[in-house]
Amino acid sequence: MKTSVQEYIEKMLQRANYEYDESVKMWAGSVTGVPGVYAQGASVEAVRQELSEMLEENLLLAIRNKKKIT
């Protein structure tokens, strides 16, 4: 059974954009509509994992600070 946090993260990862940065030979990713959620890694999966962790932290900070969650 998935938690609401897991469902939120999966939903937000559907908005993620990935591209290969030839200048640094790494993948980069960001989540549309969530400022500051950006990651780089050797593979798309590595970037996706980091984005997932950042989204979780972003969600917990929003809850703690009583901010609107997008």
Side-chain angles (χ1 to χ4, degrees), residues 1 8 11 20 22 49-50 54-55 59 67 70:
M1 184 162 116
Y8 170 80
K11 179 182 173 186
Y20 188 73
E22 189 66 43
Q49 181 61 38
E50 185 148 344
M54 293 179 78
L55 284 165
L59 177 62
K67 296 202 174 196
T70 58

Side-chain angles (χ1 to χ4, degrees), residues 27-41:
W27 284 92
S30 62
V31 178
T32 302
V34 187
V37 176
Y38 173 84
Q40 282 186 300

Side-chain angles (χ1 to χ4, degrees), residues 17-30 36-51 54:
N17 300 300
Y18 304 94
E19 63 181 64
Y20 188 73
D21 186 341
E22 189 66 43
S23 65
V24 293
K25 309 280 191 239
M26 295 188 84
W27 284 92
S30 62
V37 176
Y38 173 84
Q40 282 186 300
S43 67
V44 172
E45 188 54 41
V47 172
R48 183 176 166 79
Q49 181 61 38
E50 185 148 344
L51 289 175
M54 293 179 78

